Amino acid sequence: MYSFIALLTFAAGIFAASAEHIVYSTVPGFFLQDLNTTNASTFDYTATNFGLINRTYPTDSHFDPHGKKTQWQRFARYVEALVFHESRKIDYKVIFFGRHGEGFHNAAETYYGTPAWNCYWSERDGNSTAIWADAHLTPNGIAQAQRAHNFWAHELDVQKIPAPQSYYTSPLYRCLSTANITFSGLKLPRSRPFVPLVKELFRESISGHTCDRRSNKTYIHDSFPSYKIEKGFSEQDLLWKPLEDETSVDQQVRSKIVLDQVFKSDRSTWVSVTSHSGEIGAILADLGHIPFSLNTGSVIPVFVKAERAKGPQPTTATQPYTALSTCSTQPPLPTATA
Ligand SMILES: *[C@@H]1O[C@H](CO)[C@@H](O)[C@H](O)[C@H]1NC(C)=O
Ligand SMILES: *[C@@H]1O[C@H](CO)[C@@H](O)[C@H](O)[C@H]1NC(C)=O
Ligand SMILES: *[C@@H]1O[C@H](CO)[C@@H](O)[C@H](O)[C@H]1NC(C)=O
Ligand SMILES: *[C@@H]1O[C@H](CO)[C@@H](O)[C@H](O)[C@H]1NC(C)=O
Ligand SMILES: *[C@@H]1O[C@H](CO)[C@@H](O)[C@H](O)[C@H]1NC(C)=O
Ligand SMILES: *[C@@H]1O[C@H](CO)[C@@H](O)[C@H](O)[C@H]1NC(C)=O
């Protein structure tokens, strides 16, 4: 009997999965980061209220007749009204994408220069004084995460911004650590505690660089014991391959898969994802957002609309990893300038 029900449930799951797919878009007109006139390299989320544009919403007249509410309170009411009135085929989420603070690999790429980093240093675990395999945050990276923490504290206090209802993070240490520093110790509502879910597919573009090779599950758990780790997460990193790169087409496909996992399993409207520049870039493309490259430690919210469409997800063939180009001899060390 049990197995019969299990079988039915399994079949229903397959049916649902193949009969529908999700199409994403970004709802424009609410955030500066949606505008092609915003320069991502100089954009400062802390100076712009997370980029939330000053404007009115159709819900203002009922919610805030005396003009006492903050921009974020009024935006939150508008989004929640939209979610409430929309058909079951449409869902909205506001996802806060945070890029990790500077890691030792970022510092090393700056130190050695990108060509020498790519062809030689990135394939090694570190140099004689720094380790960048599954890189940890540099002191500068820790300060960037503390800045995000301070800004969230300010926004919760002053703007009454909705706290995330759920948190996700890449399994790479720099993101686990950034999320921890950003969200630990905030005055969060009791119903919305900071308990992130570690998801494999929120990881960075899987290059043959050692900074993209994750640690094992035991180490992740022991380092961040309060975090949840998704079901099926393998003990060892099975996706990283030495001297080979995941293709950008494959990354685009798996980024859609992880988004679908979140949208199919999580009814939250306010969501935080701590990830990487390459991966957030791939997700933004899946969401139909304009390209917006985040500086280390930056955070941008994105207003996402998800519509269920008939028919299976159009498939894209998986591509083999490609070989990384390397140089056989150590490139000359950077020369001191000035
Ligand atoms: C920016 O967007 C506007 C309107 O959406 C469009 O007309 C314009 O060509 C875009 N500019 C650039 C530089 O992409
Ligand atoms: C964005 O700002 C950077 C840094 O100031 C500048 O170098 C770049 O030209 C700007 N890009 C655009 C499109 O204005
Ligand atoms: C929004 O308005 C506030 C004052 O109410 C101002 O300080 C802030 O600079 C404005 N932000 C934007 C993005 O225009
Ligand atoms: C090792 O790399 C770091 C950058 O992560 C750099 O600051 C340091 O100077 C390098 N050490 C040596 C001995 O070159
Ligand atoms: C997590 O963050 C808290 C608060 O900043 C800090 O005390 C703790 O050491 C951090 N844990 C790890 C494993 O980074
Ligand atoms: C997990 O990683 C840690 C740190 O690198 C190592 O000490 C440990 O032996 C590994 N355990 C397994 C089961 O691979």
Side-chain angles (χ1 to χ4, degrees):
M1 188 60 185
Y2 172 79
S3 61
F4 178 62
I5 290 171
L7 192 69
L8 270 184
T9 314
F10 181 60
I14 288 181
F15 178 73
S18 60
E20 289 186 332
H21 65 286
I22 306 179
V23 177
Y24 298 102
S25 55
T26 301
V27 189
F30 297 90
F31 289 103
L32 295 171
Q33 47 274 26
D34 299 327
L35 303 174
N36 61 14
T37 45
T38 303
N39 187 335
S41 63
T42 53
F43 177 77
D44 179 357
Y45 68 100
T46 68
T48 55
N49 201 14
F50 276 124
L52 186 64
I53 291 171
N54 288 339
R55 50 161 288 173
T56 59
Y57 311 101
T59 40
D60 284 353
S61 55
H62 264 83
F63 177 59
D64 187 26
H66 307 297
K68 295 252 163 66
K69 308 286 191 196
T70 70
Q71 191 71 47
W72 268 101
Q73 283 176 306
R74 291 188 290 109
F75 175 63
R77 173 53 65 100
Y78 173 68
V79 172
E80 277 154 16
L82 214 56
V83 171
F84 184 77
H85 291 293
E86 200 48 274
S87 78
R88 275 187 51 249
K89 290 211 169 298
I90 298 185
D91 186 21
Y92 294 93
K93 293 192 195 304
V94 175
I95 307 181
F96 292 89
F97 290 101
R99 181 180 175 196
H100 61 81
E102 181 191 72
F104 282 96
H105 64 308
N106 302 120
E109 179 170 355
T110 305
Y111 177 73
Y112 290 112
T114 298
W117 165 254
N118 280 341
C119 84
Y120 187 85
W121 294 101
S122 63
E123 290 90 63
R124 284 154 181 80
D125 282 359
N127 61 16
S128 60
T129 54
I131 292 173
W132 51 70
D134 192 13
H136 288 209
L137 299 178
T138 64
N140 179 37
I142 291 171
Q144 289 169 330
Q146 272 158 354
R147 185 164 177 258
H149 172 93
N150 294 344
F151 189 62
W152 269 105
H154 170 269
E155 291 288 271
L156 287 163
D157 182 35
V158 175
Q159 277 283 325
K160 316 286 180 212
I161 193 172
Q165 293 161 288
S166 45
Y167 295 87
Y168 297 93
T169 162
S170 151
L172 289 155
Y173 195 94
R174 53 194 180 272
C175 288
L176 302 169
S177 184
T178 298
N180 179 52
I181 297 165
T182 302
F183 296 108
S184 296
L186 288 176
K187 276 194 218 139
L188 296 171
R190 203 171 299 184
S191 59
R192 300 183 179 190
F194 169 60
V195 183
L197 180 64
V198 178
K199 284 186 78 66
E200 183 85 278
L201 298 186
F202 277 129
R203 65 191 292 166
E204 182 57 305
S205 326
I206 309 165
S207 74
H209 299 179
T210 60
C211 57
D212 296 326
R213 186 182 69 212
R214 72 161 167 85
S215 296
N216 62 46
K217 183 179 173 180
T218 304
Y219 179 80
I220 292 173
H221 172 75
D222 291 349
S223 305
F224 298 91
S226 65
Y227 289 17
K228 287 187 295 183
I229 299 178
E230 71 182 341
K231 260 194 206 145
F233 190 86
S234 57
E235 176 62 30
Q236 305 298 339
D237 185 352
L238 304 177
L239 298 179
W240 186 84
K241 300 175 191 175
L243 304 180
E244 289 186 16
D245 296 340
E246 171 189 40
T247 67
S248 56
V249 172
D250 279 359
Q251 186 182 7
Q252 213 54 63
V253 171
R254 58 106 166 156
S255 301
K256 173 76 167 61
I257 290 172
V258 72
L259 279 172
D260 287 355
Q261 289 171 352
V262 169
F263 275 78
K264 285 179 181 171
S265 65
D266 187 344
R267 314 248 328 134
S268 304
T269 300
W270 308 94
V271 174
S272 162
V273 173
T274 305
S275 183
H276 307 260
S277 88
E279 180 56 17
I280 294 172
I283 291 172
L284 292 181
D286 280 326
L287 296 177
H289 194 281
I290 60 169
F292 197 92
S293 168
L294 290 177
N295 297 321
T296 43
S298 290
V299 183
I300 55 163
V302 174
F303 189 5
V304 180
K305 180 179 187 181
E307 296 174 74
R308 289 178 186 273
K310 284 214 164 71
Q313 170 74 26
T315 54
T316 309
T318 310
Q319 300 180 338
Y321 282 33
T322 57
L324 189 74
S325 73
T326 58
C327 34
S328 49
T329 57
Q330 178 178 321
L333 288 174
T335 47
T337 51

